[in-house]
Each structure stands twice: as structure tokens, then as C-alpha cells.
Amino acid sequence: QTSEQFNTAGRSVKTGLTASVIVAQWTWAATLLTSSNKAWAYGISGAYWYAAGASIQVLLFGVLAIEIKRKAPTAHTVCEMVRARWGVTAHVTFLVFCLLANIVVTSMLLLGGAATINALTGMNINLASFLIPWGVILYSAVGGLQAKFIADYVYVAVIFAVLVVCIYTVYVKNFSTDEVYGGLQVVKSYSEAQCARIFSDKSGMTFFQSGDYACGGVPGNQDGSYLTMVSSGGAMFGIINVVGNFGTVFCDNAYWQSAIAARPASAHRGYLLGGLAWFAIPFSLATSLGLCAVALQLPITAAEASAGLVPPAVATHLFGKAGAVMMTIMLFNAITSTGSAEGLAVSSLVVYDIYKTYINPQATGKRVLWLSKIVIVVFGGCMGALAVGLNAIGLNLDFVYLFMGILIGSAVVPLWNMLMWRKANGVGAVAAAWGGMLLA
């Protein structure tokens, strides 16, 4: 295996495989966990704004994929393109933003994954944070981008299979659309006294606190309904979601790598097909498990929901131990798929944009391949340590998800202009990226 094959998969991937790769690497732990949390908190508007607000970016990236094939057919990373057009200062700036994007995404994977595995199995959360990356590291370091693409195809098939089982169980086998709809209508009418009776122990002592449980009307929603799109909280989340996710697509070298690896005729088609197929995952999961949690009035607190525990709680309620196993498998697939993409993205940035650009421009293919594998292993270990640190200071999946737009959102427009606007200049791009971050 050559370094070129390891990092670009031979630049010959077809449409279907490109689409499955996009679905797989865009299916984070947050896709499975936070989407249901937003449905639990805001109702159907939360589910819609999560799914729609994170599909736009992938669909638009299809336009960039065409330009990558036209203007930079031999590139390995987005930062190589930045350096070729705008020079060293811009190169260093956007290298920082791309690495920040990789760190943020991997942090969310490990925070959400570790919290859920802890809830489902009882495994120590810090141990889970360290062990999760190793499943990713092993096959990524051995097989490179091509191995990741093949594994992603299998992961997506498993995720959709579990998704179909969840939807069928909620809306056909155990309940019906009418029952879930009726349950949500009843929940919004509950008074605080009724909620206190529902959330009480066997002795009649209530543990209900207003704002801690999804009981009663939703503040900011029309008539307090879970079934309305007129939701101030849902709309606010939608704006944050759109801005933040532009950063995690356009600043994430993994998406540029997937476009680089695709055949010229397949790149844009793969992104369009992948974006449309991905919408079904968070929207379906949130409108089945997320809304079911509210309709059944399961005792899930706001803190537990923010940690991403709505889907595992509902799955365990519906399926027992089998539900816990299903969620663990689904989550493991999502984490390993996206984690592999992030590891390979960081590896390419370190090797091609730092080592081969500034340290050893004459590096052989064999040396590049060896270093790529080393970086994947080191990055995985370091991210486990970072996840433990974030857990120690009390940060959860929801906080990091909402914070990501502040860190990397300002680099989106300059990167778009790099390929799409011939008058864009390096000084303006650098000023926009750093200035936007400081103002945010």
C-alpha cells in the first residue's frame, strides 16, 4: 500500500460508496443522541431543526466537490489548497481551524459515547473515553481511507436496520401514531400538581422539579404543544445548529478528503445523495424515541437528556436488555465511523501540511505512510485523555455541540470563497476567520 492509496483511496471511489461514507461520517454520537434530546425538549420542531439544519451543509458541499475536482485534482487536504492560493499565513490560520474542528467533533463523539455506554453497561465513564478510540485506531492505521470506506458501508447498513426496528416498534408494534399523538396532547395539558404526582416514588414523595422533566407545556411553543413548528426555542436551536454545522463540515478535512477520494463524476452526486439519505437518521430517531419518551412520561431529567441519554432510556424501556445492546451497537458504529474519518483527517493535515511542507519536503512515500499511521495512533490516545478532562470539568455533549459554532464558524465563508470567488484574497480570509471567532 502506498501513501497515496492510504490517504486518498486511489481517487476512484464511486457514487454509492461516496454517499454511504458521507452518511457514516456525518452520523456522529450527537446525530443519534442530541437529535432525540431536542425532540424531548422542543417537540417536533427540535427534531426537524436538527435534521434540516445539518443537511444543508452536506448538500452545499457537493458544489465545492465539483470545484475541488476541477481546480485541485492532485490535492490531499484543504490546507494544501489554501497554501497554494493564499500563502503561508493563511495556511497556518486555516490549519488551526481545521485541527480545532477535528478536536471538537472527536470530543463530542467520546463525550456522548462514553456517557451512553456508562448508562447502558455501568462501565466507568473515563475508562470508556479511553477505550472507544482504540476500535477506530486499529483498522484506520492498518487500512487507511479505503478500509474506512468499506467499513462505513457496513456501519450505515446496521444503523438503518436498528432505525427501522425502533420506528416500527414505536409506531406499529407497541403503539400507533394516534397513541403517540394523543399522549403528547395530554402531556402539554398537565399542571404542575399533576406532574408532581406522575414523578413520585412508591411512598408518594415527589421528585419533580419544574424544568427538570418534560411534563406540561413547552415554554416558547405555540399553546405549549410538542406538535408545533412555532417554537422560539426550536428556532433558536435551528440557527445555532445551521451555523455550527457549517463549521464542522467546511472546516473538517474529512469531508474534503472524501471529495478528493471520489471519481470526478461521482463527487457531487455522492454528497447530494448522502445529504438526503442522512436526513432520515436524526429525524426518524428523534420523532420515534424522542417523542415517545415524552408521550410515555419516562423519568428522564434535563441533565440526562443533555448528556444524550434519551434514546438509550427509551430503547431499554421498549426492548429491555436487547434495547441496550441495540443502542450500544448503533452508537459504536457511529463513533467508529466518524472517529476513523477524524483520525485520517488529522493524519493527512499533520503529514502533508506540517511535516512535508515545513519539516521534510523531500519525504519519501514510505516515510509519509509510516508517519500517517503513527499520527492516527497518537491522536486517538490524546483524544481519550481530552474526553476525560472534559468530563472532569463537567462539560457534556450538549454544551460542546452548541459551542462549536463559536470556535470554527467564522472560517466557513473564507473556505467557500477560496474555490468559488476569484477576487477573494488571503488578508481578507485570515482577518475574517480570526475576527469572526473573537466577535463570536
Side-chain angles (χ1 to χ4, degrees):
Q1 189 182 40
T2 65
S3 60
E4 187 74 11
Q5 185 73 22
F6 186 89
N7 287 293
T8 68
R11 305 178 195 266
S12 59
V13 180
K14 295 182 181 179
T15 302
L17 194 54
T18 300
S20 70
V21 165
I22 297 306
V23 173
Q25 69 190 39
W26 201 212
T27 303
W28 306 345
T31 304
L32 306 177
L33 306 176
T34 303
S35 57
S36 293
N37 168 25
K38 296 308 172 186
W40 179 88
Y42 304 121
I44 197 167
S45 70
Y48 175 79
W49 282 116
Y50 187 98
S55 295
I56 304 165
Q57 299 83 352
V58 176
L59 297 173
L60 281 177
F61 200 91
V63 178
L64 280 186
I66 297 170
E67 295 303 310
I68 291 168
K69 288 299 180 185
R70 286 182 61 234
K71 297 174 180 174
T74 60
H76 301 91
T77 71
V78 56
C79 292
E80 281 187 339
M81 302 177 211
V82 171
R83 187 170 183 269
R85 177 160 187 191
W86 289 330
V88 173
T89 304
H91 180 246
V92 172
T93 293
F94 288 98
L95 185 58
V96 169
F97 276 91
C98 288
L99 289 172
L100 270 177
N102 295 131
I103 290 168
V104 166
V105 172
T106 311
S107 298
M108 285 192 284
L109 289 177
L110 295 180
L111 284 172
T116 306
I117 288 172
N118 169 258
L120 291 173
T121 67
M123 178 186 281
N124 180 277
I125 197 165
N126 293 329
L127 182 61
S129 298
F130 262 112
L131 290 180
I132 287 170
W134 287 99
V136 179
I137 287 168
L138 294 175
Y139 77 82
S140 300
V142 172
L145 201 62
Q146 195 162 27
K148 173 203 163 334
F149 279 22
I150 295 166
D152 283 354
Y153 192 89
V154 178
Y155 290 155
V156 170
V158 173
I159 288 170
F160 271 102
V162 175
L163 191 62
V164 169
V165 171
C166 290
I167 296 168
Y168 178 80
T169 302
V170 170
Y171 286 113
V172 180
K173 185 171 181 281
N174 287 21
F175 312 105
S176 67
T177 51
D178 288 344
E179 286 178 285
V180 175
Y181 177 87
L184 294 171
Q185 290 289 69
V186 170
V187 168
K188 76 160 188 177
S189 67
Y190 284 152
S191 66
E192 199 162 312
Q194 288 173 306
C195 290
R197 283 198 297 274
I198 293 168
F199 295 102
S200 58
D201 57 26
K202 292 179 181 178
S203 65
M205 182 68 69
T206 185
F207 49 85
F208 175 78
Q209 288 185 330
S210 183
D212 241 13
Y213 294 90
C215 187
V218 184
N221 281 22
Q222 187 177 47
D223 300 326
S225 175
Y226 284 89
L227 298 164
T228 180
M229 287 298 294
V230 183
S231 167
S232 59
M236 181 63 71
F237 168 72
I239 294 167
I240 294 169
N241 195 38
V242 169
V243 173
N245 280 311
F246 264 111
T248 50
V249 171
F250 284 69
C251 297
D252 190 343
N253 187 49
Y255 293 91
W256 297 79
Q257 268 191 306
S258 296
I260 288 165
R263 288 183 175 183
S266 302
H268 65 289
R269 294 175 188 165
Y271 276 83
L272 292 173
L273 184 60
L276 292 171
W278 178 86
F279 178 93
I281 296 176
F283 188 73
S284 301
L285 200 67
T287 50
S288 55
L289 300 188
L291 294 182
C292 184
V294 178
L296 297 179
Q297 286 294 274
L298 297 181
I300 302 168
T301 66
E304 289 168 339
S306 292
L309 300 182
V310 173
V314 181
T316 304
H317 177 81
L318 294 175
F319 303 103
K321 286 185 179 179
V325 171
M326 281 166 52
M327 283 296 115
T328 304
I329 291 171
M330 197 178 189
L331 194 65
F332 180 78
N333 285 355
I335 292 169
T336 50
S337 170
T338 309
S340 173
E342 298 308 305
L344 287 161
V346 170
S347 167
S348 294
L349 289 171
V350 170
V351 170
Y352 287 103
D353 290 289
I354 298 175
Y355 181 73
K356 203 168 181 189
T357 300
Y358 299 112
I359 298 171
N360 183 9
Q362 304 304 318
T364 63
K366 194 172 182 180
R367 174 60 64 88
V368 167
L369 178 60
W370 176 80
L371 189 59
S372 297
K373 295 183 177 187
I374 294 295
V375 172
I376 289 171
V377 174
V378 172
F379 176 73
C382 290
M383 287 314 300
L386 177 63
V388 171
L390 292 175
N391 277 319
I393 61 177
L395 298 186
N396 61 24
L397 174 65
D398 202 44
F399 175 86
V400 179
Y401 189 87
L402 296 175
F403 185 65
M404 65 186 178
I406 294 170
L407 278 179
I408 56 179
S410 58
V412 172
V413 174
L415 287 174
W416 173 270
N417 289 339
M418 176 188 68
L419 287 176
M420 303 302 294
W421 189 27
R422 63 185 180 84
K423 293 184 179 180
N425 65 78
V427 175
V430 171
W434 289 117
M437 178 196 272
L438 294 173
L439 290 173

